[in-house]
Amino acid sequence: MLDYAAFPEQRQALIRQILQQNGRAICSDLAAQLQVSEHTIRRDLHELSKEGICKKVYGGAVLQLKDGENFTHRKAHNHAEKGLLAQRCVELVKNGTCIFIDTGTTNLAMASAFPDDLQLTVVTNAPDIAAVLLKHPLIEVIMLGGQIQKNIGGCVGSSALDQLRTIIFDQAFIGGCAMSAETGLTGFDYADCEFKKAAIRQSNQTIVALTANKIPGIARFTVARCDEIDVLVVEETLSREAINAFEAEEITLLMV
């Protein structure tokens, strides 16, 4: 059996592997598994964080995800999973309300799943979502305008922000790049994340739907803490460890 105390490179390689597999690492668990002190593990996590592998959090670390593909490419992935998440989100929408739908491929699937008899107002900064909803017989569409950022598929500049701040939403369906119980919802684009924060402030209820590959993980910029998100819609394949961590944050979990 390898003496991990004597071989720091091999120890850090194993920790890197655990982070890739589980999305998070806990100091006490790693110390017991590798038979080294928690101080040694914290030092290892510090070294890995300098490489951009993880972000240190209380009691351990969370995997730092790499910047994803652009919006056009993301639309081609995980159709079935996004469809299930989208349908569950649609079930949360009430007739006669005003909601905000953020950019994102899961939210695009949600726009396609609204039943024909649902009547409401949808505000969006995503042209693809607006185009889908224009075909709906009873949905009024308000498109927030300005320059479209192709990598995120929506408008997040000052014009769109000014319009956003004049509307109060019953619900906001917010997209994200990564999430963990420790760090909350995060994203890769600074302007997009600031826009999401503004949308959350304008809404009475915030709902986030994420595929399992984004949990747990952390991206570069913060969007919202767990206590700022009312409902998290996730796949039932999410690990029990991640589920327990979110439940401890008192966020409502809906699994599909």
Side-chain angles (χ1 to χ4, degrees), residues 47-184:
E47 291 301 317
L48 292 173
S49 70
K50 289 196 297 184
E51 297 177 26
I53 302 298
C54 63
K55 169 71 174 177
K56 292 189 296 179
V57 296
Y58 180 77
V62 176
L63 178 68
Q64 185 158 320
L65 301 181
K66 302 300 181 184
D67 199 344
E69 299 171 316
N70 66 34
F71 179 75
T72 301
H73 291 154
R74 293 199 309 274
K75 285 196 292 185
H77 298 159
N78 305 112
H79 283 296
E81 294 88 343
K82 292 172 183 177
L84 290 173
L85 294 171
Q87 187 57 52
R88 190 67 182 90
C89 288
V90 168
E91 294 169 4
L92 301 176
V93 178
K94 297 180 181 179
N95 204 55
T97 57
C98 176
I99 69 173
F100 172 75
I101 301 182
D102 189 21
T103 60
T105 52
T106 299
N107 286 344
L108 177 60
M110 178 187 173
S112 302
F114 283 126
D116 287 345
D117 61 349
L118 183 63
Q119 182 175 2
L120 71 155
T121 299
V122 175
V123 181
T124 185
N125 61 330
D128 281 12
I129 290 174
V132 168
L133 293 175
L134 283 175
K135 303 173 186 177
H136 194 286
L138 301 178
I139 291 181
E140 178 185 0
V141 182
I142 298 175
M143 175 71 205
L144 304 179
Q147 183 180 14
I148 299 170
Q149 286 193 217
K150 292 183 179 180
N151 62 315
I152 63 170
C155 304
V156 294
S158 58
S159 297
L161 265 173
D162 288 343
Q163 292 174 293
L164 178 77
R165 290 168 177 152
T166 66
I167 309 170
I168 303 298
F169 306 107
D170 296 294
Q171 295 172 310
F173 292 84
I174 303 296
C177 302
M179 187 167 179
S180 73
E182 296 88 350
T183 58

